[in-house]
Amino acid sequence: MLGRTGPFSGRCRFELQQSRHSFSSPPPQRLRVHYPAGSESRKYRTGQEAEPMSSAHVNRILKANEYSHTLPRGPASHGVLGFHSNMLPSNHPSEDRRSSATCLPGRSGVLFGVFDGHAGTACAHAVSQRLFYYIAVATLPLRTLAELERAVEEERAVQPLLEWHKHPQDHNCTDGGAISVQSLRNYWQERLAGEEEEEEEEEEGCRVTSALVNAFRRLDYDLSVEAQVHLSMSSPRRVSLPGEALSLSSPLRVALSGSTACIAHVSKGVLHVANLGDSRAVLGVREPNGSWSAVSLTNDHNAQNPDELQRILGEHPPSERKTVVRHDRLLGLLLPFRAFGDVRFKWSADMLSRIYETRPDVLSAVGEAFRTLPPHYLTPPYLSAQPEVTLHRITPADKFLVLATDGLWELMHRQTVVQLIGEQLTGLQQQRPIIPGVGMTLGSLQRLLLERKGQVLSVLEDQNAATHLLRHALGDDGYGVVAPNRLAKMLSLPTELARRYRDDITVTVIHLNEPDL
C-alpha cells in the first residue's frame, strides 16, 4: 500500500451532468432567491405544497459531510493545528471533491485540496485520489525513492507515502488501480534516472514550488497517456453493454471530463498554494487592533483575470485572437483556462477527428458537446495544467486558511468569509445594528428581532467552521444574519431547480499556529 487512512476513514487502495464550466452555449444566469416576508411555502411542479423543513432537518443536511481533524502537537503538524471541512452538493452526484493527508516519509508536510469537476465527476474523482501521491513523489529525496523502488522490485512491503484524513462518506478509491500505480512508479523511476540529489543548501521554497508544478503537469500527462492507451487497446468492433465502455474509473472518461484544483502544502511553517482554475485560497489574518483581513493567495484562471486572458491570447497566432476566447469561454465552451483532463482542448485535431470518426461506441457514452471537434480548433493545446504557485511564510498573525470551490465565492466575498470565521474563533459574535429597509413594517422588524435572538444558538451548534460558512452562504438575510426560513427554503429546492441558484460547494478551513485569542 502506498497510503493509509486516518482513524476515522475507510481503507483506500491507490488507483486509478454537465456543470457550469462547460457549455455549448452560455448557461442561464444564476438566480437570486427572494422570499417575501410571510410568504407561504413555495409550490413546485408536482403541485403539492412543500412541507416546512425543521431546524433538525436543516442541520442534518448541513452537517452530513462535515469533518474535523486535529493534528498532534509537535514537528509533525508543521504549524497546522487541525482543519474543518464540509461539502454541500447541488449536482447529483456532486462534481466537487476534497482531500487532506499527511506526507509520511522524507521531508514530509501536510496537504489539503479542493477539486471542482466539470463534464462529470470522473476527472475530479481521479485527481483527488492521485495528485497527493504525485506531490509526495515530487518532494521526496531521491534516496527515499530509491528505497521505495527496491522494495517494489523485491516485492517487500512498501512504506506508506500518505496518511489520509477522510470523512467516512467521502468518495474512496475503486478497484482497478494497476494502471495508475504503474504511472506513479514510472514517475519516480524517471526522477531516479534523470536527476541528481538536491544540495542541502538548496532553497526549500523553490524546491517545493518546482515539485508542485512538476506533480501537476505529470499527473495531467499521465491521464492523457492512459486514455490514449485505453483507446488503442479497446476494439471498436466490440459491442459494449450500456455504461460499460466508460465507467467512472475509465481512463478515457477521466480524460474527457475535467477538474480544477486548489492545493495547500504546509511544511515547517511554510505555506505553498498551487492553483489551477477558479477555486480560491484566502488567508485569515488577525491585525494588531483585533480586526480581520482577508489575503488572497490565488488568482482565478478565467476571462475575468486580465493577465490570464493575455497569457492565453499570446500563446496563439494573432489570427485567432477573436476565436480563442469567445463569450468569456475558451473556444466559446469552457470557463476555466487551466484544468486537469479536458483532452478535447489539448489533443491534436487529427487525434480527436480519428476518435470522432472511428469510435462511435465511445462517443455514445459521453455528452453531445464531446461528439464534434470544437469550433476554430487550429493550434492546440488551448488548455493548460500548469498551476500558479504562491509561497507564504506563516506568521503569528496568520490564523487560518480557507480553500473553497467557486460555489462559495459566488455567494460570499472573501472578507465576509474571513470575518465570519474570525468572529467564530474569537467568540465575539457581535450583533450588527438593524437598519430598517424601505417598506419594512413593525411586524417584519419584530420577526427579524426574533430571528436575531436565535443566532447565538446557531453559532454554538456550528463548531465546524466550514459548516458555519455554508449556513451563512445560503441563509444570509442581507444584514449578516442567518434567516432560518431562507436557509430552509434554499436547502429544500428540488434538484432540477437548486442548480440554478448555486453550485456544488466544498470548503476546507485550515487552522494555523497556536491559538492565542
Side-chain angles (χ1 to χ4, degrees), residues 20 62 142 163 183 210 251 256 290 304 369 388 395 403 444 456 458 498 515:
R20 74 176 195 87
L62 285 178
L142 297 186
E163 180 179 6
S183 293
S210 177
L256 284 172
Q304 306 310 311
E388 190 172 13
T395 71
L403 301 180
S444 60
V456 173
S458 172

Side-chain angles (χ1 to χ4, degrees), residues 144-321:
T144 305
L145 292 181
E147 294 169 2
L148 182 64
E149 175 64 17
R150 282 193 296 272
V152 173
E153 288 179 347
E154 298 169 4
E155 298 184 348
R156 292 187 282 108
V158 176
Q159 181 184 7
L161 296 181
L162 300 171
E163 180 179 6
W164 291 94
H165 311 300
K166 286 180 176 287
H167 185 282
Q169 296 180 15
D170 276 357
H171 300 272
N172 289 317
C173 305
T174 58
D175 293 331
I179 294 175
S180 55
V181 170
Q182 185 57 52
S183 293
L184 184 69
R185 187 183 182 189
N186 290 342
Y187 182 32
W188 80 56
Q189 287 176 335
E190 290 184 20
R191 277 206 63 200
L192 288 169
E195 296 185 15
E196 297 180 357
E197 185 62 86
E198 301 92 341
E199 296 290 339
E200 292 297 327
E201 297 80 11
E202 182 184 8
E203 174 61 34
E204 180 76 6
C206 294
R207 185 187 64 79
V208 174
T209 296
S210 177
L212 289 170
V213 171
N214 290 338
F216 272 65
R217 295 181 62 180
R218 178 56 183 244
L219 175 56
D220 190 64
Y221 170 82
D222 284 349
L223 296 179
S224 176
V225 170
E226 291 162 11
Q228 294 176 48
V229 171
H230 177 82
L231 274 171
S232 65
M233 294 181 63
S234 58
S235 171
R237 296 183 178 86
R238 177 178 177 271
V239 178
S240 300
L241 297 174
E244 179 187 6
L246 292 180
S247 65
L248 178 62
S249 60
S250 162
L252 188 56
R253 186 167 187 175
V254 169
L256 284 172
S257 59
S259 178
T260 67
C262 188
I263 304 298
H265 175 276
V266 187
S267 179
K268 301 175 183 177
V270 178
L271 167 65
H272 286 81
V273 174
N275 186 50
L276 192 72
D278 51 11
S279 294
R280 296 179 187 172
V282 173
L283 191 67
V285 180
R286 185 77 183 277
E287 300 295 346
N289 64 0
S291 64
W292 291 94
S293 295
V295 178
S296 295
L297 298 181
T298 55
N299 297 305
D300 291 350
H301 298 140
N302 55 32
Q304 306 310 311
N305 180 346
D307 291 339
E308 185 70 3
L309 180 60
Q310 290 305 311
R311 178 193 67 80
I312 195 165
L313 291 177
E315 292 177 353
H316 299 275
S319 59
E320 293 186 66
R321 191 171 184 84

Side-chain angles (χ1 to χ4, degrees), residues 444-462:
S444 60
L445 182 59
Q446 182 183 26
R447 281 191 294 271
L448 182 59
L449 288 170
L450 290 173
E451 291 173 359
R452 281 277 172 105
K453 189 176 179 180
Q455 293 313 303
V456 173
L457 294 176
S458 172
V459 169
L460 291 176
E461 69 186 2
D462 284 339

Side-chain angles (χ1 to χ4, degrees), residues 21 99 150 205 216 364 397 404 415 433 445 490:
H21 283 309
S99 293
R150 282 193 296 272
F216 272 65
S364 64
Q415 182 61 41
L445 182 59
M490 283 292 285

Side-chain angles (χ1 to χ4, degrees), residues 427-485:
L428 294 177
Q429 302 305 328
Q430 298 171 340
Q431 295 293 330
R432 299 173 179 83
I434 296 176
I435 304 174
V438 177
M440 178 177 282
T441 65
L442 288 176
S444 60
L445 182 59
Q446 182 183 26
R447 281 191 294 271
L448 182 59
L449 288 170
L450 290 173
E451 291 173 359
R452 281 277 172 105
K453 189 176 179 180
Q455 293 313 303
V456 173
L457 294 176
S458 172
V459 169
L460 291 176
E461 69 186 2
D462 284 339
Q463 299 298 318
N464 186 296
T467 305
H468 191 57
L469 289 178
L470 292 179
R471 189 182 300 274
H472 278 264
L474 271 65
D476 187 270
D477 65 352
Y479 299 95
V481 176
V482 174
N485 290 340

Side-chain angles (χ1 to χ4, degrees), residues 1-5 11-16 101-105 129-130 132-134 136-137 140 145 148-149 151-152 156-164 177-178 180-186 188:
M1 290 296 176
L2 296 175
R4 71 183 187 206
T5 57
R11 296 191 62 80
C12 172
R13 279 176 286 183
F14 176 71
E15 59 138 348
L16 235 176
T102 298
C103 301
L104 294 175
Q129 303 290 339
R130 298 178 60 176
F132 285 7
Y133 285 106
Y134 278 70
V137 167
L140 283 175
L145 292 181
L148 182 64
E149 175 64 17
V152 173
R156 292 187 282 108
V158 176
Q159 181 184 7
L161 296 181
L162 300 171
E163 180 179 6
W164 291 94
S180 55
V181 170
Q182 185 57 52
S183 293
L184 184 69
R185 187 183 182 189
N186 290 342
W188 80 56

